[in-house]
Amino acid sequence: MDAQWLAMPILQQLNSGVLVLSTDYHICFYNQFIERRLGVPLAEVRHKSVFDVFTDLPEAWLKRKLDSVVALNAPVFSSWEQRPYVLKLPHLRPISNVSDYMIQNCSMLPLLHPHTGETFVCLLIEDATDVSLYQQELQRNMQALQQANRMDGLTQVFNRSYWEQLLNAEILRARRYHQPLSLILFDLDKFKQLNDIYGHQGGDYVLVELSAFIQSLLRESDLLGRYGGEEFGIILPNTGLQGASEVAKRICRQVAAHPLHYQQQDIRATISLGVAELNPHRQQDVHDLVQCADLALYLSKREGRNRSTSYRDELRHYLQKITESAH
Amino acid sequence: MAMLSADQQDALQELMNVAMGMASDQLARYLNTLVHLQVPAIRLVQPSDLLAQLEPENADQQRQVVSQGFIGDAGFQGEAVLFYQLSNARQLATMLGYPADDANDAEMLTDISSILTTTFLNSLGGQLSAQLSYSAPRLLSDQQELLVQRIETPGWRAALQVSIHYQVIDYAFQCEMVLLIPELGLQTLQQRLDAILLEY
């Protein structure tokens, strides 16, 4: 069989765009794939500059590519990941697709005329719209997964493991840039009692509402996490003990003044807080800093709850004394 | 492991030299400046050698890895992997007319890699009377682990490593090109080399 006749029908029915340009960027040919999507018959634009027909083309960019194809007699490529499309064309699924234009991979290939030896450049356009959509979806899912991995399922604040990672990173940062860093630990007062009165759903409700309320009181840079059960932590970057102590007192006051409505009842919940600042002269790690804040929190509880205590080294001696006298 | 005989190795080295000469001539015309390419050193490497290469010597220097597939007639095929430093690539990009503030490093890197790979391989293909087609180049830098995994799988047994040193007037552009050629491609290459050797 003489296969010569095959070339044109296949070229026309190819499910890829074929656009042939002269070395001075004039249109010599495009196949049906492009003709139908562009809606302009080839006869109308043949010998016109490609930049006059596809007015959105990035001229400097494309010229650089085409020139290199001609000069080096070697192909050049453009991936959708770097440039979503070369030719602004519609895609064939305007309803089920979210992108406005056909996302494309483009190969630019050198062509030599067999008789005249003249060089042309063939732009081979492949539709990558579906691939790009899958990619986007994958990225969205990865992000959602990552988010889920960092959040506490109930309260939607950071979970303990991620919050500890953040604290670790903030400690390193504070040390590197010689900035202050403080930590607040707080505990919902008499949580067991709340659970007994309102049931576990009532208790959960209080945890969720209080987390959201306290989150709303914080600056964007403050990092709230659920440390476990009814215990939470707030990382306050670039904040000294005094500033953090003021924040803690304010939160304590506002929580106490903020009734929670649960099944036609008002629940009045209070919290106890402990505040500690990273000591720049000691090599404190996450564990040390949490321990200091925890000690201050313990004293807040001991002194009658619904209050905030700031950690000072003297507290350790005080604590020692009261535990000794208890024995 | 398929090995090249001493004669085959010599013939291949000779073809590489010619191809390199042609590629540097083309690049020089294109860049409008003198381009010197050193005679490439070639050696056959095994997967383990390549793994050692993939270990970044200096974590501060961003090493870029770009891969581009090629295929010719009679099973002559493989993958060209280019290793180079980002700072090196930026200088070359300026010469190629990329705007200095162009944030799209990925495109610049794949373009440069494609130019270096295809000019060289086109010339080499010409020597072996094989016309080559290429896949689009892909940046592998952010997939280092994946690459290592792939290399450890027994998909190939030997690769041709071609070290190329480009010198463009007053600065040196160093890059390492590794041609990963699977068993079948290597056999084809050997046949071609034998045919060329017969002619002499």
Side-chain angles (χ1 to χ4, degrees):
Chain A
M1 186 178 73
D2 171 23
Q4 280 255 296
W5 68 273
L6 288 173
M8 201 35 121
I10 290 177
L11 193 56
Q12 290 297 9
Q13 287 178 59
L14 203 60
N15 216 359
S16 301
V18 176
L19 168 66
V20 180
L21 302 177
S22 64
T23 50
D24 54 357
Y25 324 115
H26 288 127
I27 294 177
C28 303
F29 173 83
Y30 49 64
N31 68 348
Q32 257 174 30
F33 180 93
I34 293 179
E35 190 171 55
R36 291 191 173 150
R37 286 163 177 81
L38 183 64
V40 180
L42 174 61
E44 268 181 37
V45 294
R46 189 176 269 165
H47 306 308
K48 278 194 184 170
S49 164
V50 70
F51 300 108
D52 293 336
V53 178
F54 295 92
T55 50
D56 291 300
L57 276 176
E59 193 165 331
W61 175 85
L62 187 61
K63 280 183 174 171
R64 192 173 64 222
K65 293 247 182 195
L66 296 174
D67 291 350
S68 113
V69 174
V70 175
L72 298 170
N73 191 32
V76 161
F77 301 86
S78 167
S79 154
W80 68 268
E81 285 162 291
Q82 285 133 30
R83 186 172 291 269
Y85 54 82
V86 177
L87 303 180
K88 199 170 183 176
L89 296 171
H91 55 69
L92 290 194
R93 290 165 47 206
I95 315 253
S96 61
N97 254 333
V98 290
S99 128
D100 286 337
Y101 300 101
M102 183 204 295
I103 308 296
Q104 304 159 2
N105 283 325
C106 177
S107 312
M108 304 177 201
L109 314 166
L111 296 180
L112 278 187
H113 193 286
H115 304 309
T116 66
E118 211 181 333
T119 305
F120 297 88
V121 182
C122 169
L123 278 76
L124 197 64
I125 307 282
E126 283 165 282
D127 189 343
T129 313
D130 284 346
V131 179
S132 76
L133 283 176
Y134 298 145
Q135 184 81 12
Q136 277 170 19
E137 205 161 302
L138 183 69
Q139 266 166 5
R140 256 203 310 277
N141 289 338
M142 294 291 282
Q143 267 167 11
L145 256 177
Q146 195 180 45
Q147 181 82 353
N149 214 6
R150 292 173 171 180
M151 291 301 175
D152 175 53
L154 179 68
T155 59
Q156 292 306 307
V157 300
F158 295 126
N159 61 26
R160 176 169 175 170
S161 77
Y162 185 62
W163 183 83
E164 280 182 334
Q165 275 178 42
L166 290 174
L167 181 56
N168 195 29
E170 289 299 337
I171 288 176
L172 294 177
R173 180 153 56 174
R175 268 205 221 115
R176 193 177 325 129
Y177 298 109
H178 306 289
Q179 287 171 345
L181 173 72
S182 293
L183 175 67
I184 300 175
L185 282 187
F186 67 88
D187 205 308
L188 193 53
D189 292 331
K190 299 185 173 165
F191 184 60
K192 196 176 172 316
Q193 215 169 17
L194 282 178
N195 274 327
D196 290 344
I197 300 170
Y198 302 102
H200 284 287
Q201 283 190 337
D204 283 352
Y205 175 82
V206 172
L207 289 176
V208 171
E209 289 298 307
L210 268 191
S211 305
F213 178 64
I214 291 171
Q215 183 79 269
S216 76
L217 300 176
L218 298 175
R219 300 167 297 188
E220 215 168 306
S221 54
D222 300 334
L223 305 162
L224 174 61
R226 186 175 177 198
Y227 200 71
E230 69 274 26
E231 194 170 342
F232 294 79
I234 306 169
I235 305 164
L236 299 112
N238 212 0
T239 309
L241 188 65
Q242 199 185 346
S245 159
E246 277 160 23
V247 172
K249 283 182 184 137
R250 186 163 51 88
I251 292 174
C252 184
R253 262 197 323 271
Q254 285 183 291
V255 166
H258 180 73
L260 302 170
H261 308 287
Y262 179 69
Q263 296 184 338
Q264 284 101 44
Q265 302 173 74
D266 271 356
I267 303 180
R268 291 221 167 247
T270 60
I271 55 174
S272 301
L273 307 88
V275 189
E277 182 185 1
L278 183 73
N279 188 327
H281 307 297
R282 277 186 219 153
Q283 280 292 319
Q284 285 177 308
D285 60 11
V286 171
H287 176 77
D288 301 327
L289 189 59
V290 167
Q291 206 190 30
C292 291
D294 207 30
L295 198 110
L297 166 59
Y298 173 79
L299 286 170
S300 287
K301 290 245 174 216
R302 202 190 148 84
E303 304 284 303
R305 302 189 178 86
N306 189 20
R307 71 192 61 217
S308 161
T309 309
S310 294
Y311 174 84
R312 283 162 286 120
D313 285 339
E314 300 89 84
L315 288 185
R316 283 189 191 272
H317 309 298
Y318 172 64
L319 191 73
Q320 215 159 18
K321 250 184 251 163
I322 51 180
T323 40
E324 272 164 15
S325 63
H327 282 295
Chain B
M1 185 179 112
M3 288 293 290
L4 295 180
S5 70
D7 280 350
Q8 286 171 339
Q9 173 113 14
D10 283 348
L12 183 60
Q13 180 74 57
E14 190 50 37
L15 293 186
M16 293 267 180
N17 297 353
V18 176
M20 198 49 82
M22 288 163 69
S24 66
D25 180 55
Q26 254 188 326
L27 273 179
R29 280 169 209 267
Y30 180 56
L31 295 172
N32 233 341
T33 176
L34 274 172
V35 178
H36 299 288
L37 281 94
Q38 274 177 5
V39 172
I42 59 169
R43 65 185 188 118
L44 222 50
V45 295
Q46 292 176 9
S48 51
D49 301 332
L50 204 60
L51 276 177
Q53 270 221 354
L54 281 169
E55 294 289 323
E57 295 149 31
N58 187 344
D60 285 346
Q61 290 193 304
Q62 278 184 287
R63 212 234 324 244
Q64 305 294 327
V65 186
V66 181
S67 153
Q68 189 165 19
F70 60 91
I71 187 163
D73 303 321
F76 180 56
Q77 57 173 295
E79 194 174 336
V81 185
L82 229 68
F83 300 86
Y84 53 93
Q85 306 289 346
L86 186 60
S87 54
N88 255 331
R90 286 223 175 85
Q91 288 179 310
L92 198 57
T94 316
M95 300 196 64
L96 286 170
Y98 281 80
D101 58 341
D102 200 336
N104 201 340
D105 275 343
E107 184 178 11
M108 174 195 86
L109 289 167
T110 47
D111 269 4
I112 290 174
S113 163
S114 184
I115 286 172
L116 296 177
T117 306
T118 54
T119 44
F120 174 68
L121 283 179
N122 272 351
S123 306
L124 183 64
Q127 298 292 302
L128 293 163
S129 31
Q131 254 213 327
L132 301 178
S133 346
Y134 302 92
S135 72
R138 285 200 71 85
L139 206 57
L140 299 178
S141 318
D142 48 354
Q143 305 168 6
Q144 188 105 328
E145 276 173 45
L146 243 122
L147 188 63
V148 169
Q149 260 179 31
R150 283 285 301 144
I151 284 175
E152 281 174 333
T153 59
W156 59 285
R157 288 196 280 169
L160 203 56
Q161 182 174 348
V162 185
S163 304
I164 303 170
H165 181 91
Y166 289 87
Q167 174 91 36
V168 183
I169 295 287
D170 27 68
Y171 79 90
F173 175 80
Q174 178 108 38
C175 78
E176 195 84 11
M177 183 194 284
V178 179
L179 302 178
L180 297 170
I181 301 177
E183 195 76 25
L184 179 65
L186 217 50
Q187 281 169 19
T188 311
L189 179 64
Q190 284 176 307
Q191 283 163 14
R192 292 276 163 116
L193 292 173
D194 287 341
I196 289 169
L197 283 167
L198 268 181
E199 283 173 30
Y200 290 100

